[in-house]
PDB file of all heavy atoms in Angstrom:
ATOM      1  N   LEU A 250      28.139  16.869  17.060  1.00  0.00           N
ATOM      2  CA  LEU A 250      28.108  16.141  15.801  1.00  0.00           C
ATOM      3  C   LEU A 250      26.838  16.428  14.982  1.00  0.00           C
ATOM      4  O   LEU A 250      26.928  16.595  13.688  1.00  0.00           O
ATOM      5  CB  LEU A 250      28.147  14.599  16.135  1.00  0.00           C
ATOM      6  CG  LEU A 250      27.971  13.648  14.942  1.00  0.00           C
ATOM      7  CD1 LEU A 250      29.169  13.786  13.966  1.00  0.00           C
ATOM      8  CD2 LEU A 250      27.861  12.217  15.472  1.00  0.00           C
ATOM      9  N   LEU A 251      25.679  16.512  15.650  1.00  0.00           N
ATOM     10  CA  LEU A 251      24.426  16.708  14.923  1.00  0.00           C
ATOM     11  C   LEU A 251      24.359  18.076  14.222  1.00  0.00           C
ATOM     12  O   LEU A 251      23.987  18.120  13.035  1.00  0.00           O
ATOM     13  CB  LEU A 251      23.189  16.529  15.845  1.00  0.00           C
ATOM     14  CG  LEU A 251      23.083  15.089  16.404  1.00  0.00           C
ATOM     15  CD1 LEU A 251      21.912  14.987  17.352  1.00  0.00           C
ATOM     16  CD2 LEU A 251      22.872  14.076  15.275  1.00  0.00           C
ATOM     17  N   PRO A 252      24.725  19.153  14.850  1.00  0.00           N
ATOM     18  CA  PRO A 252      24.728  20.436  14.166  1.00  0.00           C
ATOM     19  C   PRO A 252      25.758  20.444  12.994  1.00  0.00           C
ATOM     20  O   PRO A 252      25.529  21.052  11.909  1.00  0.00           O
ATOM     21  CB  PRO A 252      25.140  21.457  15.255  1.00  0.00           C
ATOM     22  CG  PRO A 252      24.677  20.763  16.545  1.00  0.00           C
ATOM     23  CD  PRO A 252      24.972  19.301  16.327  1.00  0.00           C
ATOM     24  N   HIS A 253      26.871  19.811  13.241  1.00  0.00           N
ATOM     25  CA  HIS A 253      27.957  19.795  12.166  1.00  0.00           C
ATOM     26  C   HIS A 253      27.472  18.938  10.969  1.00  0.00           C
ATOM     27  O   HIS A 253      27.657  19.421   9.760  1.00  0.00           O
ATOM     28  CB  HIS A 253      29.205  19.249  12.723  1.00  0.00           C
ATOM     29  CG  HIS A 253      30.275  19.026  11.702  1.00  0.00           C
ATOM     30  ND1 HIS A 253      30.984  20.105  11.082  1.00  0.00           N
ATOM     31  CD2 HIS A 253      30.796  17.892  11.154  1.00  0.00           C
ATOM     32  CE1 HIS A 253      31.836  19.601  10.237  1.00  0.00           C
ATOM     33  NE2 HIS A 253      31.769  18.282  10.269  1.00  0.00           N
ATOM     34  N   ARG A 254      26.988  17.779  11.204  1.00  0.00           N
ATOM     35  CA  ARG A 254      26.688  16.798  10.098  1.00  0.00           C
ATOM     36  C   ARG A 254      25.282  17.128   9.498  1.00  0.00           C
ATOM     37  O   ARG A 254      25.180  16.946   8.294  1.00  0.00           O
ATOM     38  CB  ARG A 254      26.705  15.443  10.653  1.00  0.00           C
ATOM     39  CG  ARG A 254      26.504  14.342   9.607  1.00  0.00           C
ATOM     40  CD  ARG A 254      26.728  12.922  10.154  1.00  0.00           C
ATOM     41  NE  ARG A 254      26.522  11.967   9.085  1.00  0.00           N
ATOM     42  CZ  ARG A 254      26.598  10.668   9.244  1.00  0.00           C
ATOM     43  NH1 ARG A 254      26.937  10.175  10.510  1.00  0.00           N
ATOM     44  NH2 ARG A 254      26.428   9.827   8.366  1.00  0.00           N
ATOM     45  N   PHE A 255      24.365  17.516  10.270  1.00  0.00           N
ATOM     46  CA  PHE A 255      22.998  17.664   9.737  1.00  0.00           C
ATOM     47  C   PHE A 255      22.529  19.163   9.729  1.00  0.00           C
ATOM     48  O   PHE A 255      21.408  19.355   9.169  1.00  0.00           O
ATOM     49  CB  PHE A 255      22.016  16.844  10.562  1.00  0.00           C
ATOM     50  CG  PHE A 255      22.285  15.411  10.510  1.00  0.00           C
ATOM     51  CD1 PHE A 255      22.921  14.767  11.582  1.00  0.00           C
ATOM     52  CD2 PHE A 255      21.913  14.632   9.454  1.00  0.00           C
ATOM     53  CE1 PHE A 255      23.184  13.323  11.553  1.00  0.00           C
ATOM     54  CE2 PHE A 255      22.188  13.250   9.437  1.00  0.00           C
ATOM     55  CZ  PHE A 255      22.786  12.622  10.475  1.00  0.00           C
ATOM     56  N   HIS A 256      23.390  20.076  10.169  1.00  0.00           N
ATOM     57  CA  HIS A 256      23.064  21.434  10.170  1.00  0.00           C
ATOM     58  C   HIS A 256      21.636  21.765  10.741  1.00  0.00           C
ATOM     59  O   HIS A 256      20.824  22.435  10.128  1.00  0.00           O
ATOM     60  CB  HIS A 256      23.132  21.953   8.642  1.00  0.00           C
ATOM     61  CG  HIS A 256      24.509  21.951   8.158  1.00  0.00           C
ATOM     62  ND1 HIS A 256      25.272  23.068   7.914  1.00  0.00           N
ATOM     63  CD2 HIS A 256      25.260  20.889   7.680  1.00  0.00           C
ATOM     64  CE1 HIS A 256      26.478  22.657   7.453  1.00  0.00           C
ATOM     65  NE2 HIS A 256      26.491  21.418   7.279  1.00  0.00           N
ATOM     66  N   VAL A 257      21.535  21.345  11.944  1.00  0.00           N
ATOM     67  CA  VAL A 257      20.254  21.545  12.743  1.00  0.00           C
ATOM     68  C   VAL A 257      20.734  22.259  14.041  1.00  0.00           C
ATOM     69  O   VAL A 257      21.794  22.051  14.522  1.00  0.00           O
ATOM     70  CB  VAL A 257      19.505  20.263  13.057  1.00  0.00           C
ATOM     71  CG1 VAL A 257      19.008  19.653  11.759  1.00  0.00           C
ATOM     72  CG2 VAL A 257      20.328  19.297  13.883  1.00  0.00           C
ATOM     73  N   ASP A 258      19.801  23.082  14.507  1.00  0.00           N
ATOM     74  CA  ASP A 258      20.020  23.736  15.840  1.00  0.00           C
ATOM     75  C   ASP A 258      19.491  22.960  16.964  1.00  0.00           C
ATOM     76  O   ASP A 258      18.419  22.210  16.795  1.00  0.00           O
ATOM     77  CB  ASP A 258      19.270  25.044  15.824  1.00  0.00           C
ATOM     78  CG  ASP A 258      19.978  26.058  14.898  1.00  0.00           C
ATOM     79  OD1 ASP A 258      21.165  25.966  14.608  1.00  0.00           O
ATOM     80  OD2 ASP A 258      19.270  27.062  14.392  1.00  0.00           O
ATOM     81  N   LEU A 259      20.112  22.920  18.037  1.00  0.00           N
ATOM     82  CA  LEU A 259      19.596  22.324  19.328  1.00  0.00           C
ATOM     83  C   LEU A 259      19.173  23.453  20.284  1.00  0.00           C
ATOM     84  O   LEU A 259      19.834  24.351  20.511  1.00  0.00           O
ATOM     85  CB  LEU A 259      20.780  21.487  19.949  1.00  0.00           C
ATOM     86  CG  LEU A 259      21.326  20.323  19.125  1.00  0.00           C
ATOM     87  CD1 LEU A 259      22.407  19.675  19.880  1.00  0.00           C
ATOM     88  CD2 LEU A 259      20.198  19.301  18.849  1.00  0.00           C
ATOM     89  N   PRO A 260      17.998  23.125  20.797  1.00  0.00           N
ATOM     90  CA  PRO A 260      17.409  24.233  21.765  1.00  0.00           C
ATOM     91  C   PRO A 260      18.333  24.311  23.031  1.00  0.00           C
ATOM     92  O   PRO A 260      18.942  23.360  23.470  1.00  0.00           O
ATOM     93  CB  PRO A 260      16.068  23.643  22.189  1.00  0.00           C
ATOM     94  CG  PRO A 260      15.717  22.692  21.034  1.00  0.00           C
ATOM     95  CD  PRO A 260      16.999  22.129  20.554  1.00  0.00           C
ATOM     96  N   GLU A 261      18.384  25.511  23.514  1.00  0.00           N
ATOM     97  CA  GLU A 261      19.264  25.806  24.668  1.00  0.00           C
ATOM     98  C   GLU A 261      18.851  24.978  25.843  1.00  0.00           C
ATOM     99  O   GLU A 261      19.753  24.495  26.655  1.00  0.00           O
ATOM    100  CB  GLU A 261      19.155  27.322  25.072  1.00  0.00           C
ATOM    101  CG  GLU A 261      19.830  28.259  24.052  1.00  0.00           C
ATOM    102  CD  GLU A 261      21.419  27.997  23.971  1.00  0.00           C
ATOM    103  OE1 GLU A 261      21.980  27.430  24.931  1.00  0.00           O
ATOM    104  OE2 GLU A 261      21.922  28.337  22.815  1.00  0.00           O
ATOM    105  N   ALA A 262      17.565  24.725  26.037  1.00  0.00           N
ATOM    106  CA  ALA A 262      17.118  23.905  27.181  1.00  0.00           C
ATOM    107  C   ALA A 262      17.606  22.470  27.046  1.00  0.00           C
ATOM    108  O   ALA A 262      17.990  21.850  28.097  1.00  0.00           O
ATOM    109  CB  ALA A 262      15.564  23.925  27.275  1.00  0.00           C
ATOM    110  N   LEU A 263      17.604  21.960  25.804  1.00  0.00           N
ATOM    111  CA  LEU A 263      18.084  20.643  25.685  1.00  0.00           C
ATOM    112  C   LEU A 263      19.655  20.552  25.859  1.00  0.00           C
ATOM    113  O   LEU A 263      20.118  19.658  26.509  1.00  0.00           O
ATOM    114  CB  LEU A 263      17.781  20.108  24.244  1.00  0.00           C
ATOM    115  CG  LEU A 263      18.286  18.762  23.834  1.00  0.00           C
ATOM    116  CD1 LEU A 263      17.824  17.646  24.754  1.00  0.00           C
ATOM    117  CD2 LEU A 263      17.918  18.445  22.353  1.00  0.00           C
TER     118      LEU A 263
END
Side-chain angles (χ1 to χ4, degrees):
L250 178 64
L251 295 176
H253 173 72
R254 185 172 179 183
F255 298 100
H256 294 256
V257 295
D258 291 332
L259 298 177
E261 290 296 336
L263 176 58

